[in-house]
Amino acid sequence: MVIPIPKIEVQDLNVYFEKNHALKNVDINIEEKEITAIIGPSGCGKSTFIRCVNRMNDLVLGCTVKGSVTVDGKDIYGKGVDAVEVRKRIGMVFQRPNPFPKSIFENIAYAPRLHGFVDEEGKHHSYNKQQLKEVVEWSLKRAALWEEVSDRLDKSAYNLSGGQQQRLCIARALAIKPEIILFDEPCSALDPIATAKIEDLLIDLKKDYTVLIVTHNMQQAARVADRTAYFYLGELIEFGETKQIFERPEKDLTEQYITGRMG
Amino acid sequence: MAKKVSTYGVDYSRRFTEILVSGALFICMLICLSVLFLIFWMLIGNSIPFFEEVSVYDFLTGDQWNPFHPNYPLFGVQPLLTGTLLVSIIAGVIAIPIGLGASIYISEVADPKVKNWLKPFIEIIASVPSVVLGLFAVIILADYVMIIFDPYSRLNALLGGIILAVMMIPIQVTIAEEAMNAVPNSLREASYALGATRWETIRHAVVPAAFSGIVASIVLALGRAIGETMAVTMTTGNAALNTWNPLYPVLTMPATLAIEIPEAASGSLQYQALFAVGLLLFIITFAVNIVADIVLARYREAYK
Ligand SMILES: Nc1ncnc2c1ncn2[C@@H]1O[C@H](COP(=O)(O)OP(=O)(O)OP(=O)(O)O)[C@@H](O)[C@H]1O
Ligand SMILES: [Mg+2]
């Protein structure tokens, strides 16, 4: 029997905001090229959890993270690991679309311009104009936005609709060529049609990426996620196949939440 | 139960108060406008007779300013324009980088606690009367300028420029810091999440997003520098030399007005010439402020 190595292995994760114990002893394994949904009532630590995976919490004053998060076998909280290098490899999409006040092209080109790329021999290069164009086009296509914007790449990203802006943010994250993408309630500011587009995209992205998504929308979790984790008051209550979580939850707390008797 | 029945009738007394209040407000606004109009009218009205004697061309291109010469008074505004621009440019060269650095530090780098006392501290500099700054420049700064730069005279364009920079920086920092503060945190997070460092985030996300606010802060501070009178009169030596050498004394337009108006006989050609200088100064600062307004308006637009 082959035991697959999890893409992300979280062990004994504890997070404090000053005195507030926001995550308590979380252990969870995220499988490669699957969608894992994080659900739970407001304030239970969903955002805090996924922000630990790309060390975004490091930026919050007074936040302490204890425990280990191992990505591809390497503890990203280990000694000598640079948070900036971690974030270069993990994409993140936020609750509200947050494009830069720049053109569509410049939004996607932001990270490639800063980071350049590494070739097969391990040498570092910066993108030339043509390569940059290719990355932008590839990212926009992958995020299913190319058709809609290919004729106005030089126009401000602020002119796009909310759903388009969110797909732009996904394309922007794809441009760093990550293997993992984190989504923090990516559809909560969108209408049902824009939401459906993002959901289709998520399922399509699963082919190439490991996806972690926080959502308040239980149907969404049921529709897109392979596995679902239920958090309550900073603790991971239950984690398993989405079908099992929604149809046969083992814990009372989970059942209460998914049947709508709480939260 | 007796209920008051609404009749939807016209409430004349309320209508009367409304008319009264809006009338009063209109008069307040009119007073402000008419001050501006009066200033403009005063400058133009007094300049016209001057330009009947001396052509606009001679005034603008003449390179000697000596209105009180008994036989050959000279009304070339070039030395004054040069003096004003030179002092302002020196001030800008010093103040713009320092002001930008300080605003970035306060907005993006400083600990929130430090930030809370840094900001009022910088604003205090803005509240020091310019005559006090002038004194400080003449008594203390001038010594250092003498030792370091060995200028032609103790009072000179460089000294004036330095003290103007001191006045510009707090204006610039206040506005630029506000502009950077207004950049939503979500943009910083977007940048960090893409693997940008703090410096890259400041340079490529925060500063561009606050760019028009930063430009406006510079333009407004420059406008202040161009029009500043007291500190400049005290520090620049006030000699109409028509030179771009910062180590020489210069005479600026505001200083010219402050010094020479009391000496000129009311209604004389000299007197009118000074109004022409005032008009030119007004046009320059007005233009600078309009530029600032346009930039600021565009910047507010971007974040609606
Ligand atoms: N930047 C912060 N500073 C201080 N406390 C924070 C911060 N972010 C989160 N917290 C605290 O950590 C706990 C978990 O918050 P978190 O944002 O992770 O919840 P969430 O599950 O994402 O909620 P929501 O569904 O409302 O987004 C809360 O008690 C919250 O107050
Ligand atoms: Mg959240």
Side-chain angles (χ1 to χ4, degrees), chain B residues 18 32 40 43-44 49-51 63 75 88 107 119 121 131 134 141 146 153 157 185 191 200 208 226 237 243:
Chain B
E18 272 171 14
C32 298
F40 208 60
L43 290 174
I44 297 217
F50 169 74
F51 287 122
D63 59 5
F75 297 102
S88 306
S107 165
K119 269 185 77 175
F121 196 78
V131 65
L141 268 184
M146 282 304 274
S153 65
N185 230 351
S191 174
E200 286 166 343
I226 294 168
T243 173

Side-chain angles (χ1 to χ4, degrees), chain A residues 102-109 132-134 136-138 140-141 145-157 160 168:
Chain A
K102 300 171 188 267
S103 70
I104 293 170
F105 186 94
E106 286 305 322
N107 262 277
I108 313 289
L132 212 52
K133 268 189 193 158
E134 283 163 18
V136 170
E137 181 173 342
W138 176 86
L140 285 169
K141 279 186 173 153
L145 189 59
W146 175 253
E147 313 272 282
E148 289 155 70
V149 300
S150 59
D151 57 339
R152 47 172 167 154
L153 294 178
D154 57 339
K155 296 277 163 17
S156 168
L160 299 176
L168 180 80

Side-chain angles (χ1 to χ4, degrees), chain A:
Chain A
M1 195 176 96
V2 184
I3 304 167
I5 306 165
K7 182 78 178 169
I8 307 169
E9 215 176 334
V10 177
Q11 274 173 337
D12 205 20
L13 185 68
N14 281 277
V15 178
Y16 305 82
F17 292 102
E18 310 280 355
K19 291 266 146 5
N20 177 6
H21 197 172
L23 279 185
K24 298 166 191 158
N25 308 317
V26 173
D27 288 285
I28 189 170
N29 288 344
I30 312 291
E31 302 301 330
E32 188 166 18
K33 295 187 183 165
E34 278 192 2
I35 299 182
T36 304
I38 314 286
I39 61 170
S42 191
C44 68
K46 305 181 294 294
S47 301
T48 306
F49 172 71
I50 66 162
R51 290 165 62 93
C52 284
V53 178
N54 66 343
R55 291 191 60 173
M56 282 298 277
N57 282 331
D58 291 29
L59 302 166
V60 178
L61 269 171
C63 175
T64 357
V65 178
K66 294 208 175 101
S68 74
V69 177
T70 310
V71 177
D72 290 329
K74 190 167 168 61
D75 181 8
I76 60 166
Y77 285 94
K79 274 216 173 72
V81 176
D82 184 354
V84 169
E85 293 302 319
V86 172
R87 291 185 213 119
K88 277 186 195 172
R89 292 191 176 81
I90 299 178
M92 183 164 201
V93 177
F94 298 83
Q95 185 163 358
R96 306 205 145 267
N98 54 356
F100 298 116
K102 300 171 188 267
S103 70
I104 293 170
F105 186 94
E106 286 305 322
N107 262 277
I108 313 289
Y110 187 87
R113 256 194 225 289
L114 290 181
H115 306 327
F117 64 96
V118 177
D119 66 13
E120 294 88 43
E121 290 153 33
K123 268 201 270 175
H124 189 268
H125 302 272
S126 37
Y127 285 91
N128 65 31
K129 259 196 173 148
Q130 186 53 36
Q131 289 165 319
L132 212 52
K133 268 189 193 158
E134 283 163 18
V135 180
V136 170
E137 181 173 342
W138 176 86
S139 307
L140 285 169
K141 279 186 173 153
R142 197 68 189 83
L145 189 59
W146 175 253
E147 313 272 282
E148 289 155 70
V149 300
S150 59
D151 57 339
R152 47 172 167 154
L153 294 178
D154 57 339
K155 296 277 163 17
S156 168
Y158 280 23
N159 296 334
L160 299 176
S161 73
Q164 289 173 325
Q165 288 190 10
Q166 198 60 305
R167 276 177 285 146
L168 180 80
C169 293
I170 296 173
R172 185 174 65 184
L174 293 174
I176 64 174
K177 305 278 170 93
E179 290 179 11
I180 300 168
I181 315 176
L182 312 172
F183 292 85
D184 192 351
E185 299 187 44
C187 302
S188 67
L190 305 182
D191 64 45
I193 295 172
T195 300
K197 280 193 185 161
I198 303 263
E199 285 179 10
D200 290 344
L201 176 58
L202 285 172
I203 290 167
D204 184 49
L205 289 174
K206 186 170 86 166
K207 283 185 263 170
D208 305 313
Y209 303 91
T210 305
V211 173
L212 259 170
I213 176 172
V214 171
T215 176
H216 258 131
N217 179 335
M218 236 105 45
Q219 286 82 26
Q220 181 167 68
R223 278 192 298 263
V224 302
D226 300 290
R227 284 166 213 270
T228 297
Y230 172 63
F231 280 74
Y232 182 65
L233 296 179
E235 285 180 77
L236 174 62
I237 304 296
E238 192 168 351
F239 176 50
E241 306 250 336
T242 300
K243 214 167 144 61
Q244 176 254 311
I245 294 282
F246 281 97
E247 287 170 9
R248 287 168 281 107
E250 282 167 9
K251 304 270 166 54
D252 289 345
L253 280 169
T254 318
E255 187 174 352
Q256 281 174 21
Y257 182 70
I258 59 172
T259 53
R261 274 181 279 143
M262 171 177 58

Side-chain angles (χ1 to χ4, degrees), chain B residues 200-276:
Chain B
E200 286 166 343
T201 299
I202 293 171
R203 164 93 178 65
H204 297 284
V206 180
V207 169
F211 189 69
S212 19
I214 292 169
V215 171
S217 77
I218 291 170
V219 180
L220 283 175
L222 267 179
R224 172 76 207 276
I226 294 168
E228 167 56 30
T229 310
M230 182 48 85
V232 154
T233 309
M234 292 167 78
T235 51
T236 53
N238 304 316
L241 291 186
N242 200 27
T243 173
W244 287 101
N245 185 336
L247 299 180
Y248 278 53
V250 293
L251 179 61
T252 68
M253 293 196 273
T256 312
L257 295 186
I259 297 166
E260 296 182 2
I261 285 272
E263 290 178 34
S266 174
S268 64
L269 190 60
Q270 287 89 349
Y271 186 79
Q272 290 159 348
L274 291 169
F275 278 93

